[in-house]
Amino acid sequence: MKKNQLGKSDLFISELTLGGMSLGTDINEAKQIIDLAIDKGINHIDTADLYDFGLNEEMIGEIIHNQRENIILTTKVGNHFNKETKDWFWDPSKDYILREVKESLKRLKTDYIDFYMLHGGTLEDPLSETIEAFEQLKKEGIIRAYGISSIRPNVIREFVKYSSIDAVMTQYNLFDRRPEEDTLDLLHKNQISVLARGPLAKGMLSNRSTEQINKKGNKGYLDYTYEELLNMSKKLTKLAGNQYSAHELALKYVLKHPAVTSTVFGASSIEQINENININIESELPNDIYEELKAITKPIQYKEHR
């Protein structure tokens, strides 16, 4: 699988990233999923300290421990949580980041993190001290690169202006094209990679789109009504024809933008890994199909957090 450079760092990650959030809590099932992903060429695994209150990190750390040098490992920080009470609050302070990274290292059974992200962010955050924490960790060799996971253009712009981030993880898919308006070109111009999460829009852009729209889009999605989602799904299926699948078009649409380095998908089963891996992801989407895909959707505006 093709590997792309992450920002200006020395990290090269696969075009498909395995997101850990959907792995569940059964380590044996999670191991089957992760082992298959790695075997198929995925070298980038994404998790967060908050996922299952540390358990996700623990499982991933145990599973990849013996092949750590072959994996680009990403985790996130900023949600100050209590494992026992299952409570958490937002804490982007330098003190918390420097303390919490040690806990993530223990859970992940490693002495370094390849890519460390702030797991959210607001304009009210102590931006300078947050950046100081990441820069210190990078200088000490505890992390190799850092970035932010956010859907807020205003926060992303602040990090572009004042930090040396190498990537931003943000939601981006054919139904949610808002980053095209606000952030993708800005990030690409500044050599900051985009990790596109949610490329299948909760499965509504998958090969089971109608089924998933009935389950997860029956009250609408963003500015789209249920009826609009069904109509777009029909157009997508028609456009796919015999040459593609809806699933393939959805992934290739996201990867078409030059800012996007990798697209992040979740998997809770072997079947879901195979659905993504069996796509010829390295075959680029033709420009005419790309433009037709754009025409299926409508512009969606950010209601807040611009």
Side-chain angles (χ1 to χ4, degrees), residues 159-190:
F159 273 83
V160 171
K161 189 184 301 183
Y162 296 111
S163 77
S164 60
I165 57 171
D166 280 299
V168 170
M169 179 179 287
T170 196
Q171 178 169 292
Y172 177 43
N173 58 60
L174 187 56
F175 286 171
D176 187 358
R177 293 172 49 206
R178 292 175 296 178
E180 294 175 6
E181 173 194 352
D182 277 281
T183 54
L184 295 189
D185 290 341
L186 171 68
L187 294 171
H188 185 55
K189 178 183 177 182
N190 286 275

Side-chain angles (χ1 to χ4, degrees), residues 102-116:
K102 296 176 183 177
E103 299 303 316
S104 282
L105 290 171
K106 290 177 186 175
R107 290 188 289 263
L108 291 166
K109 295 182 182 295
T110 186
D111 56 3
Y112 69 97
I113 293 166
D114 295 293
F115 186 56
Y116 204 31

Side-chain angles (χ1 to χ4, degrees), residues 13 77-78 88 110 153 156 165 168 181 184 194 196 212 254 301-302:
I13 65 172
V77 68
W88 75 90
T110 186
I156 292 171
I165 57 171
V168 170
E181 173 194 352
L184 295 189
V194 172
Q212 294 304 311
V254 168
Q301 302 295 321
Y302 284 94

Side-chain angles (χ1 to χ4, degrees), residues 197-241:
R197 65 173 176 83
L200 299 177
K202 301 180 179 179
M204 292 186 289
L205 287 165
S206 71
N207 296 332
R208 298 182 295 278
S209 59
T210 302
E211 175 189 340
Q212 294 304 311
I213 289 171
N214 285 329
K215 284 182 180 179
K216 299 174 182 177
N218 54 8
K219 294 183 180 179
Y221 176 73
L222 299 175
D223 284 353
Y224 295 114
T225 65
Y226 168 68
E227 290 74 19
E228 285 176 321
L229 291 172
L230 286 177
N231 185 46
M232 288 188 297
S233 175
K234 289 177 182 176
K235 290 180 179 179
L236 180 62
T237 301
K238 183 178 180 180
L239 182 59

Side-chain angles (χ1 to χ4, degrees), residues 98-164:
L98 295 181
R99 282 188 291 111
E100 180 59 15
V101 71
K102 296 176 183 177
E103 299 303 316
S104 282
L105 290 171
K106 290 177 186 175
R107 290 188 289 263
L108 291 166
K109 295 182 182 295
T110 186
D111 56 3
Y112 69 97
I113 293 166
D114 295 293
F115 186 56
Y116 204 31
M117 277 191 285
L118 185 67
H119 200 176
T122 72
L123 291 182
E124 287 70 47
D125 292 345
L127 181 66
S128 60
E129 71 167 85
T130 299
I131 294 171
E132 282 178 14
F134 284 105
E135 289 289 350
Q136 180 177 325
L137 292 174
K138 187 176 177 180
K139 185 176 181 180
E140 293 173 355
I142 295 172
I143 65 175
R144 297 173 67 187
Y146 72 95
I148 180 173
S149 176
S150 177
I151 61 171
R152 301 180 182 220
N154 55 5
V155 174
I156 292 171
R157 285 193 287 267
E158 291 297 292
F159 273 83
V160 171
K161 189 184 301 183
Y162 296 111
S163 77
S164 60

Side-chain angles (χ1 to χ4, degrees), residues 174 177 239 243-244 249 252-253 255-258 283-296:
L174 187 56
R177 293 172 49 206
L239 182 59
Q243 185 176 359
Y244 302 99
L249 288 181
K252 287 186 173 182
Y253 178 84
L255 287 167
K256 180 78 170 177
H257 197 287
S283 173
E284 190 172 335
L285 191 66
N287 290 332
D288 58 337
I289 303 281
Y290 183 65
E291 294 302 324
E292 288 186 66
L293 286 169
K294 282 185 177 181
I296 289 174

